[in-house]
Amino acid sequence: MMKNCALYSSTFDLDQVVERIKSIYPNDKVTVNESKTKIQITSGGWFSKKVKGFNIMTSRTEPEEFTAMIQGMGNFFRQIPAENESVHEKLLIKISTLNMVIGVETEEDISDKFFAELLSIIEPLDGLVFWGGGALLDPSGRLLLDVNGRSEVEDYNVTAHVSYLHEEDAETESGKARKLRSERLISAKGISKMPPMAGYIGDEAAKGIRSLDEVAKRTVALCIIALKGECVCSGETVEDTKRLVGNVTERYGAAGFFSPKEREFLSNDEAGDNEAIPFSWCYEGYWTLLWALGHVEELDDPVGLCDVALAVSKLQQFDNFEEFLAGSRLRSNQEILDEADLIYRYDWLCVDSRIHSEDAPGNLEGGVVYERHRALNWLIGYMGQEWDEVRTDT
């Protein structure tokens, strides 16, 4: 193995990096400086102590040096004669969105175990790994491009949340107005802390909003997948669960509505609570999409679980999918984007509270906020991601 390695990300969020590293090394001593730009991990006993560190620089902490570094990185990889021109082009775009570099310090060569830990750090940051003498890897460790122009991937999906881009690129008048609206609503709940984010959801985001047919199918899928999660968690027999889920799926012609991970769960007759609980939470996303389709008048504050019986009854009113689709109307772009912006900021408050081991302000229920955020991000086509890949960046 080797020592030369650095992690790159489009995020500015140093708190997220610190939290992630602490979660990966729960039994080691983690030392963080005041600016959160230097993190040291000390492991082992008195006679076998090992130290590794992370030095962090962002486009905000050291703007001139960081800009020069990214420009040099872009120029270096731009000159490589890549075998896959499409991946090459998208990788150059990704480099242009980077806002953080995490330098890795270790006295020893990077072992397979440490390399896996590095991938675990960068995976939620949606970044890149600079490896060895000039290779860029994705968060799974696959080669995107090396100095010889080789790549191990057929395609590469460029992602960068609007709040991760430079502020002058993210601001729009509609986005700023929407942000102010959300902040007024948050203040009205008695919450004084405001997310210090650069992110805006402007009217231009409307072009990614899903179609009525897509939303109706995803709504039905979430109801059914949550139903199975509920059955497993409540101790229903495998036979009864299969019968109930199968009948509802057939009634709404939903066999083709599910995501790959949902299909895997549906086909798993041995699923236990650990597998089922995350899917049982899908009632919250289902409720959110019912609102988007006009079957729920308004979304109350995310401070408690939705009324599952009421939510399910909304679908039960229709005998089949065609009737459900005909009885649905997609809310206006303005309503959808307003709700997406508000939940984005609510989720920041919940994440910030978890980082600081505090209760979420305003009695916000973190699980409900997360599921709504996920559903609304999918609804607005956030980063073009399908259901299983939808992120809830804050």
Side-chain angles (χ1 to χ4, degrees), residues 285-304:
Y286 164 64
W287 180 255
T288 304
L289 294 187
L290 282 175
W291 167 84
L293 292 172
H295 297 288
V296 173
E297 188 63 29
E298 63 178 314
L299 285 176
D300 294 332
D301 295 336
V303 295

Side-chain angles (χ1 to χ4, degrees), residues 129-149:
V129 179
F130 182 85
W131 183 249
L136 285 177
L137 315 179
D138 71 4
S140 299
R142 298 180 302 172
L143 176 66
L144 295 173
L145 188 68
D146 65 12
V147 293
N148 298 313

